[in-house]
């Protein structure tokens, strides 16, 4: 029941303006509908949208270099990459401490694998060098322990480095560990670093903090009784070589002062700080400027390198450039994938249209039998169907044997139907043909047969009646089937992998390879992103030329 006020406003039964009451009811209806679809929406978001977005993000993500070699990247920024020479000693020193940490956490091989995508051989360089870092540290540890025997004991180290302070260094190093490994590294380390030691021995404090965090939180050991890493001794030796540090130690009277003075007194027994020579002695590759250029090029947290690789180019410090001609494969694969998908779609139209016409015009009983034959492949595994084509198409297969037996082909000139584009087109046309027939059939079934009879009664021939009356009405089915087949074809990888060989594989085969074998997920994500963009552009062109509104599945 409604009422009207003196000013003409209509009211609902409870006295609320009718417009407000209707808006409130509509809002409640929308909320109720949203609540009904919320579980499905959340499921799709969590299991489909988020994983795809996360995977596509890998195409630009590149923080592994800066997270694994933070101090090296910072020091390397001042290197003149155009000089044609390797960096100076400071870069190799930073590399030593960064690599030592990464090797202890077994993260250095991941970085080597990442850089190996850009510079072949880098993976083995990092892997082999990770095993030799402790030897560099021992050349410092032994003379230091000989000069100050108490420093052989982890308890002496703990007492010397402990004290009162803000623990800012410890927290800074904890963040670096989190970036390196992805672990939270939460919890109590069990030490407060002395501010005096941090100021006097900055490199030693940083190295000791790295060791303490990893030992206490990752290895779950009591650091008060554990001997530190060799890198801590190296840092101590470097600190004590500074005249400023020597002056500070001379006036220092805290715990460890006697041991530090003993090491200073024996500085001539310590090795010369030559990290560059030590790295090159381990592996000659560390003298190659290209290795350092690769590290510097891919040091930013985000990179366009994966996308450049996906279009047969590579990133450099001076911009980007084309890859050597013998390495340009991806653009060829993209072109082949699109072209062969178009051929397969066209083949499905030519083969599927007559079958769909028969299904739509045969008596019901005959049409049902034919429909069962069309649907039969769906009840067979895709792998089985593809393997069956392999048996049929190979050189000694059924088709070639039959042609030789009939005398159409000489035994020495058997047809090459496998491991090439021909085999891929034949097998994929057979596999995708039902996806063309079904949309065509659903549209043709809605075309009244009386239209053809009317056209013939007006003097049209069978061909004219078909071409001018029947075919235009079936075009929406062709459009629907073409989109379906093309989208499926462009993303197929099982069938091309089995029957395509090197000449018949698609870009999707390389994407699958990088995901499952080479583990270059960034390049796989870039290739997938480009393929997605190509499909969307082709879909847009189809909509502009044909019109997506003209596509239907019947009805």
């Amino acid at each position: 029941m409604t009422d009207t006020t003196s000013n003409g406003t209509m009211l609902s039964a409870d006295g609320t303006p009718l417009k407000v009451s209707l808006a409130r009811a509509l809002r409640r209806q929308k909320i109720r509908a949203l609540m009904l679809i919320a579980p499905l929406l959340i499921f799709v978001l969590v299991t489909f949208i988020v994983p795809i977005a996360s995977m596509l993000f890998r195409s630009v993500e590149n923080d592994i270099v800066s997270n694994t070699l933070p101090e090296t990247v910072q020091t390397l920024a001042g290197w003149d990459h155009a000089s044609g020479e390797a960096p100076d000693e400071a870069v190799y020193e930073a590399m030593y401490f960064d690599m030592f940490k990464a090797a202890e956490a077994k993260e250095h091989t991941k970085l080597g694998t990442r850089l190996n995508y850009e510079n072949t051989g880098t993976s083995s360089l990092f892997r082999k060098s990770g095993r030799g870092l402790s030897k560099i540290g021992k050349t410092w540890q032994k003379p230091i322990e000989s000069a100050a025997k108490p420093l052989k004991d982890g308890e002496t180290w703990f007492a010397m480095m402990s004290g009162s302070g803000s623990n800012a260094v410890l927290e800074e190093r904890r963040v670096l560990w989190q970036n390196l490994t992805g672990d939270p590294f939460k919890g109590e380390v069990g030490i407060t670093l002395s501010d005096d030691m941090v100021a006097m021995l900055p490199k030693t404090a940083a190295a000791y903090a790295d060791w303490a965090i990893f030992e206490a939180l990752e290895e779950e050991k009591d650091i008060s009784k554990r001997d530190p890493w060799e890198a801590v001794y190296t840092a101590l030796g470097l600190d004590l070589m500074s005249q400023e540090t020597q002056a500070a130690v001379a006036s220092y009277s805290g715990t460890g002062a006697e041991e530090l003075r003993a090491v200073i007194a024996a500085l001539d027994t310590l090795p010369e700080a030559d990290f560059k020579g030590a790295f090159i002695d381990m592996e000659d590759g560390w003298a190659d400027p290209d290795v350092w250029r690769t590290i510097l090029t891919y040091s930013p947290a985000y990179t366009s390198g994966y996308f450049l690789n996906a279009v047969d180019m590579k990133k450099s410090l001076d911009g980007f450039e084309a890859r050597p001609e013998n390495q340009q494969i991806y653009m060829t694969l993209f072109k082949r994938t699109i072209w062969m998908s178009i051929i397969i779609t066209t083949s499905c139209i030519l083969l599927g249209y007559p079958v769909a016409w028969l299904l739509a015009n045969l008596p019901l009983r005959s049409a049902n039998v034919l429909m069962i034959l069309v649907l039969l492949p769906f009840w067979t595994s895709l792998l089985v169907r593809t393997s069956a084509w392999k048996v049929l198409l190979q050189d000694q297969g059924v088709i070639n044997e039959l042609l030789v037996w009939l005398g159409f082909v000489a035994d020495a000139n058997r047809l090459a139907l496998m491991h090439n584009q021909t085999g891929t087109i034949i097998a994929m046309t057979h596999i995708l043909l039902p996806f063309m027939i079904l949309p065509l059939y659903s549209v043709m079934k809605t075309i009244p047969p009386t239209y053809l009879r009317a056209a013939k009664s007006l003097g049209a021939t069978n061909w004219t009646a078909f071409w001018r009356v029947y075919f235009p009405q079936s075009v929406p089915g062709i459009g629907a089937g073409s989109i379906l087949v093309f989208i499926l074809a462009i993303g197929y990888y099982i069938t091309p992998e089995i029957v395509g060989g090197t000449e018949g594989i698609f870009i999707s085969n390389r994407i699958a390879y990088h995901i499952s074998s080479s583990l270059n997920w960034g390049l796989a994500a870039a290739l997938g992103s480009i393929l997605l963009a190509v499909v969307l552009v082709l879909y847009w062109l189809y909509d502009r030329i044909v019109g997506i509104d003209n596509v239907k599945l019947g009805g």
Side-chain angles (χ1 to χ4, degrees):
M1 178 181 291
T2 61
D3 200 356
T4 305
T5 63
S6 59
N7 60 6
T9 303
M10 297 188 67
L11 303 177
S12 61
D14 59 358
T16 306
L18 183 61
K19 185 176 180 180
V20 174
S21 181
L22 289 174
R24 185 185 302 159
L26 183 61
R27 186 167 57 253
R28 288 175 180 172
Q29 186 178 3
K30 289 181 178 179
I31 293 174
R32 191 180 300 112
L34 180 62
M35 294 299 293
L36 289 173
I37 68 169
L40 178 60
L41 186 63
I42 294 172
F43 177 79
V44 171
L45 184 66
V46 172
T47 62
F48 186 72
I49 304 298
V50 172
I52 289 179
S54 175
M55 187 64 190
L56 294 180
F57 178 68
R58 289 176 178 268
S59 62
V60 295
E61 184 183 25
N62 190 60
D63 57 4
I64 185 172
V65 179
S66 57
N67 286 343
T68 308
L69 307 175
E71 295 176 14
T72 305
V73 168
Q74 185 176 358
T75 311
L76 192 60
W79 170 55
D80 180 11
H81 64 272
S83 65
E85 298 179 357
D88 57 18
E89 175 68 14
V91 174
Y92 285 89
E93 180 184 319
M95 172 64 82
Y96 168 75
F97 289 105
D98 284 338
M99 275 275 285
F100 198 101
K101 280 178 55 180
E104 289 293 333
K106 296 181 175 57
E107 296 287 335
H108 65 300
T109 55
K110 296 180 182 178
L111 174 60
T113 300
R114 166 65 187 97
L115 296 176
N116 197 69
Y117 300 148
E118 318 300 336
N119 190 344
T120 305
T122 310
S123 179
S124 61
L125 187 65
F126 274 79
R127 186 175 62 254
K128 293 176 182 178
S129 299
R131 295 194 292 263
L133 294 173
S134 60
K135 294 180 181 179
I136 298 176
K138 286 178 181 178
T139 62
W140 293 81
Q141 180 180 4
K142 290 180 180 179
I144 289 176
E145 290 180 340
S146 297
K149 288 184 171 54
L151 291 179
K152 292 182 178 181
D153 190 354
E155 293 182 3
T156 302
W157 274 99
F158 184 81
M160 182 174 72
M161 300 304 295
S162 300
S164 60
S166 63
N167 257 354
V169 171
L170 202 67
E171 294 307 313
E172 289 174 5
R173 308 310 289 190
R174 190 198 299 263
V175 172
L176 293 178
W177 273 115
Q178 292 172 350
N179 294 338
L180 173 62
T181 64
D183 293 333
F185 277 94
K186 299 294 184 182
E188 292 295 328
V189 179
I191 187 175
T192 299
L193 290 177
S194 168
D195 278 349
D196 292 336
M197 279 294 172
V198 171
M200 186 168 58
L201 304 173
K203 294 180 180 179
T204 307
Y208 190 85
D210 286 335
W211 166 79
I213 292 169
F214 188 80
E215 195 78 2
L217 302 181
E218 183 69 19
E219 301 293 330
E220 299 181 349
K221 301 291 178 60
D222 181 5
I223 64 171
S224 65
K225 299 178 181 179
R226 302 280 296 179
D227 297 340
W229 289 335
E230 295 90 343
V232 179
Y233 291 89
T234 306
L236 178 61
L238 293 172
D239 277 332
L240 295 178
M241 285 183 174
S242 166
Q243 292 183 354
E244 184 180 346
T245 302
Q246 293 172 16
V249 171
S251 60
Y252 178 67
S253 59
T255 305
E258 184 178 342
E259 287 79 11
L260 294 177
R261 294 191 186 100
V263 175
I264 292 175
L267 278 179
D268 57 335
T269 65
L270 268 62
E272 183 182 355
D274 184 18
F275 292 94
K276 183 174 183 177
F279 269 87
I280 295 174
D281 286 343
M282 280 194 299
E283 288 293 329
D284 294 339
W286 290 114
D288 185 1
D290 284 342
V291 172
W292 296 100
R293 288 193 194 98
T294 302
I295 295 173
L296 184 58
T297 302
Y298 290 91
S299 58
Y302 302 99
T303 181
S304 59
Y306 290 123
F307 279 100
L308 290 173
N309 289 340
V311 293
D312 295 327
M313 305 188 77
K314 61 180 179 180
K315 185 179 180 182
S316 68
L317 292 170
D318 300 320
F320 53 87
E321 58 190 39
R323 287 194 171 274
E325 192 171 339
N326 61 348
Q327 297 179 15
Q328 297 180 11
I329 60 172
Y330 295 115
M331 290 305 295
T332 300
L333 287 176
F334 274 118
K335 294 174 184 176
R336 178 191 297 168
T337 299
I338 295 172
W339 175 242
M340 289 180 64
S341 296
I342 292 173
I343 293 176
I344 291 166
T345 302
T346 305
S347 301
C348 287
I349 294 173
L350 296 177
L351 295 174
Y353 196 96
V355 177
W357 187 87
L358 285 173
L359 280 169
N361 292 278
L362 282 175
L364 183 60
R365 185 170 182 178
S366 301
N368 287 339
V369 174
L370 186 57
M371 179 62 76
I372 291 174
L373 296 178
V374 171
L375 297 176
L376 190 61
F378 287 126
W379 304 335
T380 308
S381 167
L382 173 63
L383 190 60
V384 172
R385 281 181 280 163
T386 304
S387 299
W389 275 110
K390 187 173 183 179
V391 173
L392 290 169
L393 298 175
Q394 61 187 344
D395 289 345
Q396 305 299 324
V398 175
I399 294 176
N400 268 309
E401 290 290 345
L402 182 61
L403 292 175
V404 170
W405 180 69
L406 293 174
F408 293 123
V409 175
D411 187 52
N413 298 320
R414 291 171 179 261
L415 300 180
L417 302 176
M418 272 287 294
H419 304 306
N420 52 32
Q421 296 184 16
T422 303
T424 301
I425 292 172
I426 292 173
M428 288 187 62
T429 298
H430 166 255
I431 290 169
L432 296 178
L433 189 57
F435 294 99
M436 178 64 72
I437 293 174
L438 294 177
L440 280 170
Y441 167 72
S442 65
V443 171
M444 290 178 176
K445 197 66 177 174
T446 64
I447 301 174
T450 53
Y451 288 0
L452 287 176
R453 291 198 294 268
K456 292 177 183 178
S457 68
L458 294 174
T461 63
N462 288 335
W463 170 250
T464 303
F466 168 78
W467 185 247
R468 299 287 298 275
V469 177
Y470 192 87
F471 181 78
Q473 296 182 80
S474 66
V475 168
I478 296 176
S482 297
I483 290 178
L484 191 59
V485 171
F486 182 81
I487 297 286
L488 289 173
I490 207 170
Y492 250 60
Y493 74 95
I494 293 178
T495 303
E497 184 71 26
I498 294 176
V499 301
T502 56
E503 297 180 4
I505 62 171
F506 285 7
I507 191 64
S508 51
N509 295 103
R510 295 304 296 176
I511 295 174
Y513 167 76
H514 287 306
I515 288 177
S516 61
S517 298
S518 73
L519 302 181
N520 190 349
W521 286 16
L523 180 54
L527 292 170
S529 300
I530 293 174
L531 186 61
L532 176 61
V534 168
V535 171
L536 292 177
V537 168
L538 292 174
Y539 180 84
W540 176 79
L541 290 173
Y542 182 91
D543 184 35
R544 292 295 297 263
I545 297 171
V546 178
I548 198 65
D549 294 336
N550 295 325
V551 174
K552 62 180 180 179
L553 296 174

